[in-house]
Every structure is written in C-alpha cells, then in structure tokens.
Amino acid sequence: MKTSTLGLTNKMLIAGPCSAESYQQLREIAKGIAEFNINYFRAGVWKPRTRPSEFEGVGVEALNWLQEIRKEFSLKVCTEVANPNHVEQCLASGIDALWIGARTTTNPFSVQDIAEALKGEKIPIFIKNPLNPDLKLWIGAIERLKKAGIENICAIHRGFSLTDNGDYRQTPLWQIPIELKRIFPDLNIICDPSHIAGKSELVESLSQTAMNLGLDGLMIEVHHNPKEAKTDSKQQLSIEEFKSLLNSLIISKTEENILPEKINILRKEIDEIDNKLIELLSERMNVSNKIAQIKKESNISVLQMNRWNKLLFDRMEYAKTAGVSESFIKEIFELIHKESVKLQDEIIKIN
Ligand code: PEP
Ligand code: MN
C-alpha cells in the first residue's frame, strides 16, 4: 500500500465527493485534496437512491470528467459499479479501481453479473459490506470476484442497516469485519466512516476507532461545499475538516511481536479468567439440566416468563453495582438464557 503524507502512514486512503456533480465541482475538490497523497479520488457516477425522484448521478459523462481529473492532478480515480454495463464503461474509460456498493453486495445475482463482466481484468475492486449484517453475503461477494480471477480485492466496512441505528446512519458492527479478517487474514479491510456516520461530526471519532482496530485504511466523503452537495450533504467533510481529520488521527502499530511484556502478563490473567467463565457456564448449564428433569416430571413448561423477567432485571441491577454496562450484561444473559432454554427443550423431548 502507498503511504499517505498526513497521518495515514501505510494505510489506504480514498477521498472525494459522494457524487460527481459537475466537472467544476470535481476540480475544486481534487485541487483541495490532491496534496494529501490520497491513493484514490472517489466520486459516484451512478447513484443508487432510495427514491427515483432523487439525484441519481450524471452517468457516463462523469467518467470523462474523472479522466480529466486523473490527468490534471495525477490522481488515481475510482467509482461505484452496480451492473456489467457500468463495468464495461469504466474499463473503457480507464478508471483505476471500482467499488461495489452495499445495496449491490446484498444481491448475489448482481455480484455474479459484475464478476463475469470483470473476468480476466486486473483492476482493483473494493467490496462494501451488504446492507444487512450477514457476513456470509459479504464473503460470497468476495468469493465470486476471486473466482472471476480478480486478485486485488479490498473490503469496506460501511456500517449495517438495523431497525435502530442509534446516533448513526448505519450501525458499525466492528465484530463483523474483524471476523472477516480472521477468515481472510490477507484481505485488506478499510472503513467508510462517512456512510456509518451520516453526519460530519461523527466521522473523526469513527475513523479513529477504525484505526484503533487496525483496519487498513479509510474511504471518506469530501466536498468543497458540503451544504450544497446533491447527495449526502450532512456527512461530507469540507476540505478543511478533511485536513484536520488527517492531522489528528493517531495510527498505532499492529504488529504482535512488539508488545510490551506487561501486556503478555495481563493476557495470561485474561486467559485464566476466561477459562473460569467457561467452567462456570458449564456448571450453570448442569444446574439448568437438573431443573429440566424436574420440569419434565412435573409437566411444567420450559419458558417461565416471570422467572425470566425477574432474572434479567436482577442481573442488570447487579451489573450496576459491579460497574459493568447493563446493556452488555443484558446481551450476555439473553444468550445464556437462549442456550439454557434450548438445552431444557432437548431434555424434555427425550423419551
Ligand atoms: C457511496 O459510497 O457513495 C455509497 C453509495 O455507498 P454505500 O454503498 O456504502 O451506501
Ligand atoms: Mn454517499
């Protein structure tokens, strides 16, 4: 990976507007950010929009603008493709890299069509996570492109669309890209904090989290005049904000072999605690199994709503006194209870 001048040493950096709106707009932005030695200048040419009345990108004309930007500012350029026709037009225009958007990754038919259109090509492909938190769909898209002979693949975590996204536009579920990295250790995974954030104020903190977790770079939306942007105006950074973000990011080392000895000692402690937790869980399941036997003999149903309500309430109260996050304890006990109910159900079914 190329090195960026500001902050992002050895990390991939992609920046540019959400959409290509006009040649002048692209020039203004490219002029403002070219000095930061970004790896790729981004701009959406075809925009997937929720409603057809919204701005859907200028289409193929913008590919010529990107070519001009490429020449004038010596920037590599990339854009989003959603079908084989887009791929063909981008390849013909000399676009340097392509990305597959979240809505497209969600649909294996579309990914397959794109993969076939890319067969034998050398162009780098970025694959955003699907809209829903389904790691297998993301993996499937990566596999389809690998099968088509694409070697230079990079994944992008851009958040997931949940029923409740809290403060974000799309919820970051960091455990999903982390699991993807565990499965494909050589795959580079970058973060798109702009589409997670939905508002520019949250982009810096999300970028720092991505760096803290050792992700391999960032794709950030930047506009010379965000308020006037035709798409995603709230989340695009101004050129000044982009510069300040790059200056403030702290990039930590990720190599495991340079860990201070103190961390190794503390990790041993964690390992022991984890083993104790597993033993306690096993003990808890054994007690639950004994209860299942009695329920069976007494013809009592597995799920006792009052008991479950009280248990959850008590554990969350206890969490408060122990200084542990209540929502964390709630999630853990929901899992424990689910397993316990499953085991009791199995026992009751045995003749
Ligand atoms: C984009 O990057 O402009 C875009 C539409 O992203 P996503 O597919 O992540 O929504
Ligand atoms: Mn956008």
Side-chain angles (χ1 to χ4, degrees):
M1 270 183 197
K2 209 167 96 178
T3 304
S4 316
T5 42
L6 278 169
L8 291 167
T9 319
N10 280 333
K11 300 281 182 184
M12 168 75 64
L13 179 57
I14 304 175
C18 178
S19 306
E21 299 167 10
S22 69
Y23 176 51
Q24 213 36 46
Q25 170 240 15
L26 292 184
R27 273 200 83 239
E28 283 297 320
I29 300 165
K31 194 166 70 176
I33 65 177
E35 66 178 282
F36 304 131
N37 203 12
I38 56 178
N39 300 82
Y40 292 100
F41 180 82
R42 65 150 282 157
V45 167
W46 301 278
K47 297 303 299 175
R49 305 310 303 279
T50 309
R51 311 269 310 268
S53 51
E54 295 168 324
F55 174 70
E56 293 193 299
V58 295
V60 70
E61 192 190 354
L63 294 176
N64 298 330
W65 303 340
L66 282 174
Q67 261 184 341
E68 292 300 316
I69 295 295
R70 189 176 188 278
K71 277 190 248 154
E72 183 177 349
F73 298 95
S74 301
L75 283 170
K76 286 190 174 176
V77 295
C78 65
T79 197
E80 173 172 349
V81 289
N83 62 43
N85 187 31
H86 295 162
V87 171
E88 213 174 282
Q89 286 171 323
C90 287
L91 292 174
S93 296
I95 299 292
D96 298 289
L98 306 174
W99 82 81
I100 297 177
R103 288 154 194 82
T104 309
T105 310
T106 308
N107 182 350
F109 284 131
S110 302
V111 176
Q112 187 59 31
D113 287 347
I114 292 172
E116 274 159 32
L118 283 166
K119 231 171 212 150
E121 299 292 340
K122 292 269 168 286
I123 190 164
I125 308 290
F126 293 84
I127 307 176
K128 294 210 180 189
N129 63 251
L131 288 177
N132 48 327
D134 182 345
L135 176 59
K136 285 199 186 128
L137 263 181
W138 204 1
I139 293 175
I142 294 166
E143 286 171 343
R144 284 175 199 278
L145 285 151
K146 281 193 174 180
K147 269 189 150 175
I150 301 293
E151 283 168 10
N152 198 342
I153 297 175
C154 176
I156 306 182
H157 176 37
R158 47 78 74 203
F160 295 92
S161 177
L162 307 185
T163 351
D164 179 5
N165 291 302
D167 284 343
Y168 300 113
R169 177 176 174 195
Q170 306 281 298
T171 304
L173 296 175
W174 303 104
Q175 69 276 22
I176 293 186
I178 290 171
E179 178 62 6
L180 185 65
K181 190 86 174 176
R182 202 181 63 76
I183 297 170
F184 295 114
D186 297 329
L187 176 73
N188 283 319
I189 307 178
I190 67 171
C191 176
D192 167 352
S194 304
H195 287 89
I196 295 177
K199 35 183 166 326
S200 56
E201 310 88 87
L202 299 180
V203 172
E204 185 171 323
S205 154
L206 284 163
S207 302
Q208 187 61 61
T209 300
M211 294 300 98
N212 292 349
L213 296 177
L215 293 197
D216 302 298
L218 297 169
M219 176 192 253
I220 298 177
E221 286 189 340
V222 186
H223 197 285
H224 67 297
N225 187 2
K227 277 201 202 92
E228 298 298 318
K230 290 193 176 163
T231 55
D232 292 351
S233 63
K234 291 201 188 100
Q235 74 195 28
Q236 302 204 57
L237 299 189
S238 67
I239 290 161
E240 271 313 302
E241 286 166 339
F242 178 62
K243 186 175 168 182
S244 124
L245 165 76
L246 292 186
N247 277 325
S248 70
L249 279 181
I250 300 161
I251 312 295
S252 41
K253 299 179 258 209
T254 45
E255 296 86 2
E256 292 258 7
N257 54 2
I258 50 156
L259 288 179
E261 185 50 23
K262 274 188 220 153
I263 289 194
N264 288 329
I265 297 169
L266 290 169
R267 279 186 173 173
K268 281 210 184 85
E269 236 179 87
I270 293 263
D271 290 346
E272 280 166 27
I273 295 173
D274 285 352
N275 286 342
K276 275 190 214 152
L277 281 174
I278 295 171
E279 282 162 26
L280 282 173
L281 283 172
S282 157
E283 223 178 281
R284 192 188 192 282
M285 291 308 158
N286 287 339
V287 176
S288 172
N289 287 353
K290 284 185 198 156
I291 294 179
Q293 285 301 345
I294 303 169
K295 282 181 178 166
K296 188 176 178 175
E297 286 154 21
S298 325
N299 200 19
I300 295 172
S301 66
V302 169
L303 182 62
Q304 299 287 318
M305 212 50 211
N306 288 342
R307 162 69 180 157
W308 168 227
N309 253 333
K310 182 162 180 351
L311 186 154
L312 199 55
F313 179 82
D314 288 350
R315 300 302 175 269
M316 285 165 74
E317 284 297 300
Y318 199 74
K320 268 191 229 164
T321 61
V324 187
S325 142
E326 283 170 73
S327 58
F328 168 60
I329 289 298
K330 181 166 182 272
E331 262 184 67
I332 290 193
F333 275 91
E334 278 166 350
L335 271 180
I336 293 177
H337 187 250
K338 189 170 129 201
E339 179 68 9
S340 192
V341 166
K342 188 178 127 214
L343 292 179
Q344 291 201 350
D345 176 56
E346 281 165 11
I347 289 175
I348 290 182
K349 279 179 188 156
I350 299 169
N351 290 320

